[in-house]
Amino acid sequence: MVEILPSLLAADFARLGEEIARVEHAGVTMLHVDVMDGQFVPNLTMGPAVVKSLRKVTKAHLDVHLMITDPDRFSAAFVEAGADSVSVHQEACPHLDRSLRLIQSEGALAGVVLNPATPVSTLDEVLEFVDFVLVMSVNPGFGGQRFLPRSLEKIRQLAERRERFGYGYKIEIDGGVVMDNVAEIARAGAEWLVAGSSVFGAPDSGAAVRALRDAARAGQLV
Ligand code: DX5
Ligand code: ZN
């Protein structure tokens, strides 16, 4: 089933509790949390303390996307703070197998993220046990960027490999997801669709989530 994951990066940080309540009211069960360190990407956001506070105000699945240079140093702290899933960038992990298994051993789902310039083939050795693969459809660091259409081909490749080898990972997409492309993204095979500005930048975030979800589910059925 396709899910829309509102990205809190686009929410009002002074009112996170209210912003979350509004999208939960529209049926959201998963939230996306962007962690940036100013080194791996040219922006800074939040740490485990924020996740711990979020955990107190929501039962939704907290999906933590680590855009940091040394994720092994912090992944356990995010799980302890309440993350249900944690993803690390292929480009940031020289020991990717270890980084992913570390997250799983802490009790969270482990995901691997691909930047736009990184091919799916770099994941051949981890696809068998990873819980989800996140395809970046923009260069990470900022919300509100335009969707890079080649990401659709990566989603199709991941869906095809999953089918061929009987793997169980979910496929997530992040960046530039809007009403105009959400159906095509779902049709390509993505199930977890992160949406920042198209949800929290809309006048009514609840209505925006419903519209995106309806369009995605309709696209999946085509
Ligand atoms: C970008 C982040 C995204 C971002 C997406 O580096 O990983 O999660 O919030 O925002 P939109 O949906 O505005 O592209
Ligand atoms: Zn993200």
Side-chain angles (χ1 to χ4, degrees):
M1 187 68 98
V2 175
E3 298 292 343
I4 304 294
L5 286 73
S7 168
L8 298 180
L9 184 63
D12 180 346
F13 279 22
R15 298 198 160 81
L16 284 176
E18 292 161 45
E19 297 266 51
I20 289 172
R22 220 167 283 142
V23 291
E24 281 191 314
H25 194 67
V28 159
T29 58
M30 300 177 78
L31 295 163
H32 185 79
V33 180
D34 287 305
V35 175
M36 305 186 187
D37 67 352
Q39 286 199 45
F40 182 68
V41 288
N43 198 359
L44 282 166
T45 56
M46 45 200 147
V50 177
V51 172
K52 196 172 172 189
S53 297
L54 295 174
R55 187 70 292 166
K56 291 182 190 150
V57 300
T58 180
K59 290 196 167 59
H61 176 116
L62 293 175
D63 175 44
V64 174
H65 173 193
L66 297 181
M67 287 163 273
I68 65 179
T69 50
D70 192 358
D72 292 1
R73 233 175 103 199
F74 294 103
S75 55
F78 281 100
V79 177
E80 198 169 319
D84 297 288
S85 56
V86 176
S87 57
V88 296
H89 272 258
Q90 186 274 356
E91 304 82 8
C93 295
H95 307 291
L96 182 59
D97 181 285
R98 180 194 290 155
S99 303
L100 293 167
R101 292 186 195 278
L102 181 66
I103 295 165
Q104 288 174 333
S105 73
E106 294 292 332
L109 299 180
V112 59
V113 194
L114 290 177
N115 272 339
T118 310
V120 167
S121 57
T122 57
L123 303 184
D124 279 354
E125 307 304 323
V126 300
L127 287 180
E128 189 185 3
F129 70 91
V130 78
D131 297 299
F132 63 107
V133 179
L134 169 46
V135 174
M136 285 308 300
S137 38
V138 298
N139 286 291
F142 305 94
Q145 303 180 74
R146 194 188 289 267
F147 184 86
L148 298 169
R150 285 184 67 96
S151 336
L152 289 170
E153 187 47 40
K154 279 191 194 170
I155 297 174
R156 288 188 199 105
Q157 283 177 28
L158 283 162
E160 192 270 327
R161 277 176 207 215
R162 180 172 60 186
E163 173 82 20
R164 178 154 36 116
F165 298 110
Y167 294 153
Y169 53 80
K170 296 280 186 193
I171 304 171
E172 182 173 19
I173 185 96
D174 184 8
V177 175
V178 294
M179 275 306 285
D180 282 352
N181 57 24
V182 72
E184 200 179 1
I185 291 168
R187 200 174 310 136
E191 292 116 344
W192 293 354
L193 279 47
V194 176
S197 8
S198 58
V199 170
F200 291 114
D204 179 343
S205 56
V209 162
R210 281 194 201 94
L212 286 165
R213 192 174 46 219
D214 289 350
R217 290 186 180 166
Q220 203 184 21
L221 299 175
V222 172

